[in-house]
Amino acid sequence: MDARYAALRRAVEATPAVDAHAHSLVAPGSAFPFHRCFSEAEGDVLAHAPHSLSFKRSVRDIAALYNCEASLQKVEEFRRAEEFTSISSKCFRAANISAILIDDDMPFDKMLDMESHKAFAPVVGRVLGIECLAETILNDESFSGSIWTLESLTEAYVAKLKSFSNQIVALKSIAACRSGLEINPNVSKMDAEDGLRKELAGQKPLRITNKNLIDYLFTRSLEISASLNLPVQIYTGSGDVDLDLGKCNPLHLRAVLDDERFAKNQLVLLHASYPFSKEASYLASVYSQVYLDFGLAISKLSVHGMTSSLKELLDRAPIKKVMFSTDGYAFPETYYLGARRARDIVYRVLAAACEDGDLTIKEAIEAVEDIFRGNALQLYKLNAATGSTNHEPARAGDNMSSSSVEEDVLFVRIVWIDASGQIRCRGCAARRFYETTMNQGVGLPLAIMGLTSFSDHPAEGTNFTGVGEMRLVPDMSTICRLPWSRREEMVMADMQIRPGEAWEYCPRNALRKVMKILLDEFNVIIKAGFENEFYLRRKLERDGIVQWVPYENTNYCSATAFDCASSMLQEVYSTLKALGIVAEQLHAEVGKGQFEVALKYTLCTLAADKLIYARQIIKSVARKNGLLATFLPKPDLYDAGTGSHVHLSLWENDKNVFMGSSEYNFHGMSKIGEHFVAGVYHHLPSILAFTTPHPNSYDRIQPNEFAGAYLCWGKENREAPIRTACPPGVPLDLVSNFEIKAFDACANPHLGLAAIIAAGIDWLRRGLKLPQPVEYDPAEYESKLKRLPQNLQESVESLVVDQVLHELIGDKLVAVIIALRKAEIDHYAKNPGTISDLIHRY
């Protein structure tokens, strides 16, 4: 479609969706096979599933989200390298789902409870299965001695259903899968009683298939749902292998629909009734109680099949009766696939309707809000507050132009951080972004990774010139509206040599690569939490001379300093929260006008992204308040340094395995924890070339500055560069994480974490141990301890000969880092005064 429909595309992508029908996720280690994301095939027929159009397309869709090679094997490798919470967050954020209604009739191995899903969507509702509820009652061991009659079953069933009435948003029937949709609304109690006896005579656990009993439960449930004002979802069309497709045509429901008892019910036909979409559309157009849900039909068909199915639904059905769902199940990827393809197909169908003259663009945009959100909110009586805090419905007029999308969002900032630690962005017009850039990225010269802190030209020795281009491809799981600039969005980006193929110099990919090695070889992931120290300065102009002076002059943890900055800190906290970034502690630091915001730990890859966003938030909120926030390591030689200390912990299957145990406890650490820290300790001099990468960094790493100047480690020793920590709640003989103090904001956090993990991997492979901890001030025994590099030159010299970091991070990328550092050393040695200008760059 042409640019006339840019506003429609924007509305489709930006609307937080209510997922009106889905199933539970499963925990890591579930026996449910991952390939079922892409096909419902089982047994021998599964061998042919990868050759279907939807399977091939879906694997590519997931691979694009994960920025990995487009094969099932590579997708599964990526999943193993990432934490379950990280994968789920990525999928749900990219899907832009604000509420999930979970159908509980499909049991999985290691199925998560309802509450667990609230980590991924603000609102989670339960849909109660009719047949499953009856089976639960009949199979309940506490009733094993009971002699069931239809009357006693009905009494227990009604009581149980009513007890759930305040906990559910709808009922659901799978009669189509058991005995078909030709429901007899007048089934006699005698026939239903006979059906119950036949079921009870069968094998246990009981699975109800008798048509008379199912018809009785169905009609009785409709009566109850009408009294409770609950919608009823009805399985229709194709799906499970055990159903008789001929019995799933929704036209079989005519007898129920014509019965006056059920005229006030609200019946939702699931799965677009595929392949009976036309029949479903007809029913919705002539029966007031019929609504349509197109989950499953979208994502499990070819593009043509999905488009045709939705078009057929809209042939006659009122738009106010058509709803989105993913029919997601077991794996977060199914939710993403359902949402991603639904947005694409809804856009195609509505744009075509505009092209045909069926809709104006204004009406099509209104339809988007109805289909993805409004209809479900009303039908299921959900709180209108469900959904993204960033959502604002797109505005449109009858005469819509390609620029109308900019009435809502003007442009999207595509953000990356270069090898010299500078946060950069390319603004893209929102219309262009949602049409092409979000999938294809934007072109940038290769030289972008060779730029220094003092010049926007590639450093000598990086071998980058003006020749060559890579793609900056948005990671849509990170997109967010800017709370401080409501007509802009921001998204992190990967560097790819072409869409889908990582560039070997990409920092985010370097971190993912070592994370994968750690998981593949040791079944461990690493989480990180950063402390953000920064100075606040105010502008002072006298006689035409501009100075940036301390915002206030009090001391560490000063209540007065906190009070001075309280309104700004509140805004920082709220803005972080709006972007899903948790700030756990805030306080005034040692320096004049210096503060710290400590972030909650999370998976390393997420922690690095969130650190970048946090710095942007702090700088932007400060600027809004007429202040300058700078993260430069040592902006004033006579005041305290500014670090970005990082706390790290090792995890296996959601359990912290850094902590010691009764089996192994080395000063509070497990064996794997000790070996990992030993690797960091051994490689620390060369790690500093990544984590303290600027000449100014070394003005901070001095004795008695709480920055760690000597090569040592200690438990709760804040003068050691590596400190193991025992926060409240952890037994005193154990530690939960370790802190690296030699990390600052001149570092690219992805590269800094990659270097740390690579070092840990080295000594995990070797199984080597740590020396004993230092439990005193290292400066008092400096003759016994080795000094860490006292300048960037010494760190670079260590990195040059550190073959482990070369191998694990990549020779070419490390060579660029070395060349950049040498250029920084040379420039600032010749121009020491120019460092003061860097308060604006960091």
Side-chain angles (χ1 to χ4, degrees):
M1 299 297 171
D2 60 34
R4 288 176 295 161
Y5 304 113
L8 176 60
R9 167 64 82 178
R10 165 67 194 164
V12 166
E13 297 295 342
T15 301
V18 174
D19 189 348
H21 179 254
H23 304 271
S24 295
L25 295 168
V26 297
S30 171
F32 195 72
F34 177 66
H35 62 254
R36 291 287 299 277
C37 271
F38 311 107
S39 172
E40 295 191 313
E42 297 182 69
D44 294 340
V45 73
L46 183 61
H48 301 288
H51 304 291
S52 67
L53 301 184
S54 65
F55 193 109
K56 292 177 181 293
R57 182 197 66 243
S58 295
V59 170
R60 287 198 305 275
D61 285 347
I62 295 297
L65 177 67
Y66 293 161
N67 291 314
C68 67
E69 185 180 314
S71 71
L72 182 57
Q73 177 186 350
K74 293 300 182 182
V75 167
E76 290 186 294
E77 286 180 1
F78 180 88
R79 295 184 91 253
R80 287 194 296 271
E82 295 277 327
E83 184 194 22
F84 169 75
T85 302
S86 172
I87 288 285
S88 299
S89 297
K90 182 183 285 284
C91 288
F92 279 95
R93 288 184 67 181
N96 195 9
I97 292 173
S98 63
I100 315 168
L101 307 188
I102 295 182
D103 168 2
D104 63 2
D105 73 353
M106 188 184 292
F108 299 116
D109 174 51
K110 294 189 176 181
M111 190 167 70
L112 297 184
D113 58 29
M114 293 283 172
E115 193 68 22
S116 298
H117 294 76
K118 291 183 180 178
F120 312 118
V123 174
V124 177
R126 181 183 179 188
V127 178
L128 182 65
I130 292 170
E131 295 80 10
C132 291
L133 177 59
E135 289 169 353
T136 299
I137 294 170
L138 293 172
N139 289 319
D140 190 335
E141 291 183 1
S142 63
F143 293 107
S144 58
S146 303
I147 301 174
W148 286 108
T149 64
L150 186 66
E151 183 179 355
S152 64
L153 173 61
T154 302
E155 182 180 342
Y157 178 82
V158 171
K160 197 75 171 175
L161 198 160
K162 288 185 176 179
S163 74
F164 285 124
S165 61
N166 292 327
Q167 305 169 35
I168 60 176
V169 296
L171 301 179
K172 183 204 173 184
S173 171
I174 52 172
C177 303
R178 304 294 179 85
S179 56
L181 291 178
E182 198 169 358
I183 305 292
N184 176 8
N186 298 307
V187 61
S188 70
K189 289 187 177 181
M190 183 181 298
D191 288 340
E193 185 91 57
D194 181 63
L196 176 59
R197 282 196 299 271
K198 290 177 179 176
E199 293 288 2
L200 293 172
Q203 293 182 341
K204 295 294 179 74
L206 183 148
R207 180 177 182 271
I208 300 173
T209 58
N210 182 273
K211 180 176 177 355
N212 288 329
L213 181 57
I214 287 176
D215 289 358
Y216 173 82
L217 290 170
F218 186 95
T219 52
R220 191 74 184 91
S221 298
L222 291 190
E223 292 170 354
I224 299 168
S225 68
S227 68
L228 297 176
N229 200 17
L230 287 172
V232 179
Q233 298 181 346
I234 302 174
Y235 191 116
T236 62
S238 65
D240 295 346
V241 70
D242 61 346
L243 58 77
D244 182 343
L245 188 58
K247 296 179 180 180
C248 298
N249 189 323
L251 291 179
H252 289 311
L253 290 169
R254 289 289 295 272
V256 172
L257 297 175
D258 287 330
D259 193 312
E260 291 185 1
R261 291 176 295 167
F262 310 124
K264 299 299 183 182
N265 281 96
Q266 296 167 312
L267 308 180
V268 184
L269 307 184
L270 298 175
H271 309 148
S273 296
Y274 181 84
F276 309 112
S277 302
K278 287 183 178 180
E279 289 85 343
S281 180
Y282 162 73
L283 292 176
S285 71
V286 297
Y287 289 99
S288 62
Q289 66 265 54
V290 175
Y291 295 78
L292 308 177
D293 182 302
F294 55 77
L296 183 68
I298 286 187
S299 87
K300 289 297 191 289
L301 303 176
S302 69
V303 171
H304 174 76
M306 292 186 290
T307 305
S308 298
S309 181
L310 184 57
K311 280 184 174 179
E312 289 177 352
L313 285 187
L314 293 177
D315 274 349
R316 295 192 59 169
I319 291 171
K320 292 287 187 181
K321 287 187 165 191
V322 178
M323 284 171 289
F324 156 82
S325 75
T326 63
D327 204 61
Y329 54 89
F331 304 104
E333 289 86 352
T334 59
Y335 285 81
Y336 169 70
L337 290 171
R340 171 169 170 20
R341 282 299 157 183
R343 294 183 192 278
D344 181 53
I345 299 305
V346 167
Y347 169 73
R348 288 171 182 254
V349 170
L350 294 181
C354 293
E355 197 73 16
D356 293 340
D358 286 334
L359 295 173
T360 65
I361 296 178
K362 178 183 177 182
E363 290 168 338
I365 290 174
E366 291 170 351
V368 168
E369 182 73 12
D370 288 337
I371 291 170
F372 280 108
R373 186 174 176 82
N375 295 343
L377 288 175
Q378 183 172 352
L379 181 68
Y380 297 106
K381 303 163 194 69
L382 302 177
N383 189 319
T386 62
S388 167
T389 56
N390 294 331
H391 175 56
E392 295 173 3
R395 298 184 292 272
D398 285 323
N399 299 315
M400 186 68 65
S401 72
S402 63
S403 63
S404 294
V405 65
E406 298 184 348
E407 293 180 13
D408 184 29
V409 171
L410 285 174
F411 44 83
V412 181
R413 299 184 189 183
I414 305 172
V415 177
W416 74 98
I417 185 165
D418 65 19
S420 63
Q422 296 179 86
I423 302 172
R424 300 177 184 262
C425 78
R426 172 75 70 86
C428 181
R431 169 187 53 78
R432 172 75 175 176
F433 182 87
Y434 284 97
E435 284 180 352
T436 59
T437 305
M438 61 181 285
N439 294 317
Q440 299 299 318
V442 294
L444 282 180
L446 300 181
I448 201 72
M449 278 300 284
L451 307 185
T452 65
S453 65
F454 59 85
S455 172
D456 280 343
H457 291 86
E460 184 179 350
T462 61
N463 296 321
F464 288 134
T465 66
V467 178
E469 183 174 87
M470 55 86 176
R471 308 295 295 176
L472 203 60
V473 180
D475 177 352
M476 293 301 290
S477 70
T478 68
I479 196 163
C480 57
R481 183 74 66 90
L482 298 189
W484 67 87
S485 183
R486 298 294 297 166
R487 298 185 71 188
E488 295 181 58
E489 291 177 330
M490 176 168 64
V491 64
M492 290 295 299
D494 286 299
M495 297 174 177
Q496 301 180 2
I497 201 65
R498 59 182 63 86
E501 182 182 335
W503 188 36
E504 57 195 331
Y505 297 94
C506 175
R508 293 179 94 226
N509 185 65
L511 177 55
R512 282 195 293 263
K513 184 171 67 173
V514 293
M515 287 278 284
K516 182 179 184 302
I517 294 170
L518 184 64
L519 184 66
D520 286 349
E521 295 188 18
F522 304 101
N523 197 35
V524 165
I525 62 168
I526 190 162
K527 296 184 181 182
F530 283 96
E531 299 173 5
N532 281 280
E533 294 178 345
F534 58 94
Y535 275 96
L536 287 179
R537 292 187 168 182
R538 56 188 176 85
K539 189 176 182 179
L540 181 65
E541 189 169 354
R542 289 178 180 172
D543 301 325
I545 299 174
V546 174
Q547 290 181 298
W548 290 95
V549 300
Y551 177 61
E552 52 79 37
N553 292 291
T554 52
N555 52 357
Y556 176 70
C557 280
S558 164
T560 301
F562 199 95
D563 197 44
C564 287
S566 179
S567 61
M568 199 205 88
L569 293 175
Q570 288 179 36
E571 187 172 354
V572 165
Y573 178 86
S574 298
T575 307
L576 288 169
K577 185 178 179 181
L579 268 60
I581 302 172
V582 180
E584 293 194 318
Q585 294 190 50
L586 306 89
H587 65 266
E589 262 295 347
V590 175
K592 294 180 176 62
Q594 189 183 35
F595 293 85
E596 179 182 301
V597 176
L599 306 181
K600 180 179 174 62
Y601 68 87
T602 186
L603 189 71
C604 267
T605 45
L606 294 177
D609 289 345
K610 290 183 177 184
L611 178 66
I612 294 166
Y613 278 3
R615 289 179 189 163
Q616 285 295 94
I617 287 168
I618 292 168
K619 290 179 79 73
S620 298
V621 172
R623 188 178 300 112
K624 177 182 173 183
N625 285 271
L627 302 172
L628 170 72
T630 180
F631 295 84
L632 189 66
K634 195 75 169 177
D636 185 341
L637 290 177
Y638 302 100
D639 210 339
T642 293
S644 187
H645 309 161
V646 61
H647 290 256
L648 301 151
S649 51
L650 303 173
W651 295 76
E652 182 178 352
N653 297 329
D654 288 330
K655 178 183 177 183
N656 186 330
V657 294
F658 183 77
M659 286 194 288
S661 66
S662 57
E663 297 177 1
Y664 192 93
N665 187 340
F666 180 77
H667 296 280
M669 287 179 278
S670 65
K671 182 176 289 187
I672 195 170
E674 179 197 356
H675 294 332
F676 192 94
V677 175
V680 178
Y681 172 90
H682 177 77
H683 290 278
L684 192 55
S686 46
I687 289 174
L688 296 189
F690 292 91
T691 60
T692 54
H694 197 278
N696 183 251
S697 302
Y698 296 82
D699 291 330
R700 167 181 165 262
I701 304 176
Q702 299 295 327
N704 300 313
E705 292 287 338
F706 289 0
Y710 295 90
L711 182 57
C712 61
W713 76 277
K715 184 176 180 180
E716 298 295 7
N717 186 341
R718 284 173 167 77
E719 275 296 335
I722 300 172
R723 173 179 75 98
T724 58
C726 179
V730 175
L732 292 177
D733 62 332
L734 300 178
V735 292
S736 65
N737 63 84
F738 71 99
E739 177 190 25
I740 296 179
K741 305 186 79 66
F743 206 126
D744 64 45
C746 288
N748 179 306
H750 299 94
L751 293 178
L753 290 173
I756 292 166
I757 296 170
I761 288 170
D762 180 33
W763 280 45
L764 282 174
R765 285 172 171 175
R766 300 195 208 182
L768 300 178
K769 298 174 68 66
L770 264 172
Q772 291 298 309
V774 169
E775 297 179 343
Y776 46 78
D777 182 350
E780 295 179 4
Y781 295 85
E782 60 179 338
S783 62
K784 297 180 180 180
L785 298 173
K786 182 180 178 181
R787 187 79 151 81
L788 280 176
Q790 298 186 59
N791 53 59
L792 183 55
Q793 180 64 41
E794 292 180 11
S795 297
V796 170
E797 289 171 358
S798 295
L799 179 59
V800 168
V801 297
D802 195 325
Q803 291 306 307
V804 170
L805 297 194
H806 282 255
E807 174 194 343
L808 292 176
I809 295 175
D811 261 328
K812 291 183 178 179
L813 179 52
V814 172
V816 166
I817 296 299
I818 291 170
L820 275 171
R821 304 300 181 251
K822 289 181 176 179
E824 303 272 3
I825 293 165
D826 181 65
H827 175 80
Y828 291 106
K830 296 174 180 176
N831 306 279
T834 58
I835 282 181
S836 61
D837 296 332
L838 295 180
I839 59 172
H840 302 283
R841 293 203 175 200
Y842 294 102

